[in-house]
């Protein structure tokens, strides 16, 4: 009986050792697999593309392989960031971003040229705008070099998700948020900077067809002294109700008026607005309630180069209804023509098509962004 028990113990011991060894090798294999998955996608062949229908890209989220993450230490300095597989992040329920909306974001794009090379459009201006927005929201921000480097790394690591030339772009979203926990109202004790990406086509479902806009009179987007002039996340949820209502009535987007008199044009839900009358192109002044769009700034310069008189001023809604053309600009929308605007009981129609001012400006901008037109302005930055 004693011998039998001893043999049983020995057998059990050997069995446990076997399980431990198997578990060890299994853990090593799992670790190796995780490391393999972390290998950047730029190790794939240069001619490899993700498996997508490039001819039918919309503006929906199709996460690319990798995102860039960088943390801000307590002394206000950002540590060295790194690429990691795209995925969920952990946040405390009391994170500043979740409770007090302390976050800002940017939007830029990577384009593929005909020769296959990737380029970015004025990412340094996105970096500067983020720093300005961060100051308004009492947040530290990455330096211009840190920002541009992060965007470059994200674009390069995800290059198989950059559409073929002329098929779209890789939309890149840098996001800065108060990730540290806090209960009382105040700035977060820690900040996280994340850059992720998604291949996209046209922002509006109409594609490059003309938009139909509705002038919103009940709701306002921003007020003097607020944060309408920075790309705060708190600017966007409040427009959803008016936008949803307009879309249910068949409109593409809404145009907001000033909060005081509700007679002067501000901007649409996610883009700036231009009004054309003869050889004059007017756009609302960025007086703290309107976002200083990078596409806006670029189009203004292109228009001046083409001999138009470009004016920043308070644009009365009556001027809009009497205009020859209206168009919208933004990183996501590009340069989008407006076909009609409805204000109260009036509906104005505008010139669109190949001979329009909008199309002329758009063709130059897209040409520079994609390398079809020589960049004499230093707007394009190479990725690889």
């Amino acid at each position: 009986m004693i011998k039998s028990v001893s043999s049983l113990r020995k057998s059990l011991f050997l069995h446990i050792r076997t399980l431990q060894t198997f578990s060890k090798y299994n853990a090593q294999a799992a670790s190796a697999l995780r490391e393999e998955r972390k290998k950047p996608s730029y190790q794939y062949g240069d001619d490899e593309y993700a498996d997508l229908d490039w001819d039918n890209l919309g503006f929906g989220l199709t996460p690319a392989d990798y995102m860039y993450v960088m943390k801000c230490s307590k002394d206000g300095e950002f540590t060295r960031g790194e690429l990691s597989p795209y995925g969920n992040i952990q946040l405390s329920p009391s994170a500043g971003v979740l409770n007090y909306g302390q976050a800002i974001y940017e939007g830029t794009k990577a384009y593929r040229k005909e020769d296959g090379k990737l380029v970015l459009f004025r990412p340094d201006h996105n970096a500067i705008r983020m720093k300005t927005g961060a100051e308004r929201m009492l947040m530290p921000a990455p330096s211009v070099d840190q920002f541009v480097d992060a965007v470059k790394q994200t674009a390069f690591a995800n290059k198989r998700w950059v559409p073929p030339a002329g098929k779209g772009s890789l939309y890149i979203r840098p996001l800065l948020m108060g990730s540290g926990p806090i209960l009382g109202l105040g700035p977060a004790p820690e900040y996280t900077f994340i850059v992720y990406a998604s291949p996209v086509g046209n922002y509006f479902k109409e594609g490059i067809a003309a938009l139909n806009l509705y002038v919103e009179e009940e709701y306002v987007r921003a007020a003097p002294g607020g944060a309408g002039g920075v790309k705060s996340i708190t600017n966007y949820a409040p427009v959803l109700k008016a936008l949803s209502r307009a879309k249910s009535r068949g409109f593409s987007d809404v145009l907001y008026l000033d909060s005081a008199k509700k007679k002067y044009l501000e901007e649409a839900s996610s883009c700036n607005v231009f009004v054309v009358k003869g050889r004059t192109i007017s756009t609302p002044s960025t007086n703290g309630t309107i976002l200083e769009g990078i596409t806006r700034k670029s189009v203004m310069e292109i228009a001046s180069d083409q001999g138009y008189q470009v004016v920043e001023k308070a644009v009365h809604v009556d001027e809009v209804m009497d205009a020859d053309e209206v168009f919208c600009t933004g990183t996501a929308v590009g340069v989008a023509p407006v076909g009609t605007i409805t204000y109260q009981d009036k509906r104005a129609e505008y010139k669109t098509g190949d001979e329009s001012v909008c199309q002329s400006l758009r063709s130059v901008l897209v040409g520079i962004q994609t390398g079809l037109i020589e960049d004499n302005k230093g707007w394009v930055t190479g990725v690889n």
Side-chain angles (χ1 to χ4, degrees):
M1 177 65 70
I2 294 176
K3 184 177 181 180
S4 176
V5 171
S6 176
S7 298
L8 182 61
R9 286 177 175 172
K10 183 177 181 180
S11 176
L12 182 60
F13 174 77
L14 291 173
H15 181 66
I16 291 173
R17 286 292 300 274
T18 300
L19 287 175
Q20 289 174 335
T21 302
F22 178 78
S23 177
K24 175 183 177 182
Y25 288 143
N26 200 32
Q28 290 174 343
S31 177
L33 180 60
R34 284 194 296 271
E35 290 303 314
E36 182 66 25
R37 287 174 176 168
K38 286 183 180 180
K39 288 183 179 179
S41 59
Y42 52 74
Q43 293 191 5
Y44 298 148
D46 288 342
D47 58 348
E48 183 172 345
Y49 286 95
D51 184 17
L52 285 180
D53 181 0
W54 300 110
D55 292 317
N56 292 292
L57 281 180
F59 204 89
L61 178 64
T62 304
D65 294 325
Y66 294 92
M67 62 184 188
Y68 182 95
V69 181
M70 182 166 61
K71 297 278 189 179
C72 180
S73 57
K74 293 181 179 179
D75 60 4
E77 296 295 324
F78 280 89
T79 58
R80 183 181 180 86
E82 60 181 15
L83 291 166
S84 62
Y86 177 90
N88 295 337
I89 60 173
Q90 274 196 324
L91 282 176
S92 165
S94 57
V97 62
L98 299 180
N99 292 266
Y100 302 117
Q102 195 183 23
I104 54 178
Y105 74 89
E106 281 295 321
T108 187
K109 288 179 176 178
Y111 301 87
R112 190 183 297 274
K113 298 168 62 178
E114 292 288 348
D115 61 7
K117 292 182 179 179
L118 307 184
V119 294
L120 301 168
F121 185 72
R122 310 187 81 173
D124 54 325
H125 285 255
N126 291 96
I128 294 168
R129 189 169 66 178
M130 175 167 275
K131 287 182 70 68
T132 301
E135 290 175 5
R136 176 64 179 84
M137 304 297 286
L138 204 59
M139 305 168 70
S143 68
V144 172
D145 288 342
Q146 286 175 321
F147 182 102
V148 174
D149 179 63
V151 171
K152 281 185 175 181
Q153 287 195 48
T154 304
F156 192 52
N158 293 304
K159 70 177 184 179
R160 73 191 190 102
W161 295 91
V162 182
K167 301 288 187 180
S169 58
L170 183 70
Y171 184 85
I172 300 174
R173 170 63 59 83
L175 171 66
L176 176 64
M177 61 182 172
S179 52
I182 187 166
L183 185 60
L185 179 60
E190 176 191 84
Y191 296 86
T192 301
F193 176 68
I194 296 176
V195 185
Y196 65 92
S198 172
V200 297
N202 291 305
Y203 181 80
F204 291 106
K205 68 177 183 179
E206 292 88 347
I208 59 174
L211 307 176
N212 299 306
L213 304 183
Y214 175 80
V215 177
E216 175 61 46
E217 294 185 272
E218 180 180 0
Y219 299 107
V220 296
R221 179 187 168 275
V230 302
K231 212 164 175 63
S232 163
I233 65 171
T234 53
N235 288 338
Y236 294 90
V239 308
L240 295 178
K241 188 169 185 178
L243 178 59
S244 177
R245 183 172 62 182
K247 287 187 174 182
S248 71
R249 297 173 178 173
F251 296 100
S252 311
D253 203 344
V254 298
L255 285 176
Y256 289 95
L257 300 176
D258 70 292
S259 61
K261 298 182 179 179
K262 293 190 177 181
K263 290 295 181 183
Y264 294 93
L265 197 65
E266 293 267 287
E267 61 178 280
S269 299
S270 59
C271 47
N272 296 119
V273 181
F274 287 81
V275 177
V276 182
K277 187 69 174 178
R279 297 291 297 177
T280 300
I281 301 177
S282 303
T283 189
S285 302
T286 55
N287 54 9
T289 61
I290 299 172
L291 187 69
E292 295 190 29
I294 294 164
T295 306
R296 171 186 181 273
K297 182 190 307 183
S298 305
V299 165
M300 289 171 66
E301 188 169 332
I302 293 171
S304 294
D305 292 344
Q306 293 187 356
Y308 291 97
Q309 181 183 10
V310 181
V311 181
E312 292 183 84
K313 65 170 189 174
V315 180
H316 197 281
V317 66
D318 289 344
E319 291 182 62
V320 180
M321 301 304 289
D322 188 46
D324 298 331
E325 286 185 45
V326 177
F327 59 89
C328 300
T329 65
T331 297
V333 307
V335 183
V338 175
T340 70
I341 291 180
T342 299
Y343 171 57
Q344 296 179 345
D345 58 349
K346 302 175 185 176
R347 182 182 177 91
E349 296 186 3
Y350 306 101
K351 179 182 178 181
T352 60
D354 293 340
E355 302 302 318
S356 65
V357 175
C358 171
Q359 180 57 32
S360 174
L361 299 175
R362 179 182 182 277
S363 62
V364 174
L365 178 70
V366 173
I368 294 173
Q369 290 173 330
T370 58
L372 296 176
I373 294 177
E374 184 178 358
D375 175 27
N376 295 318
K377 299 177 177 294
W379 287 352
V380 172
T381 299
V383 172
N384 50 349

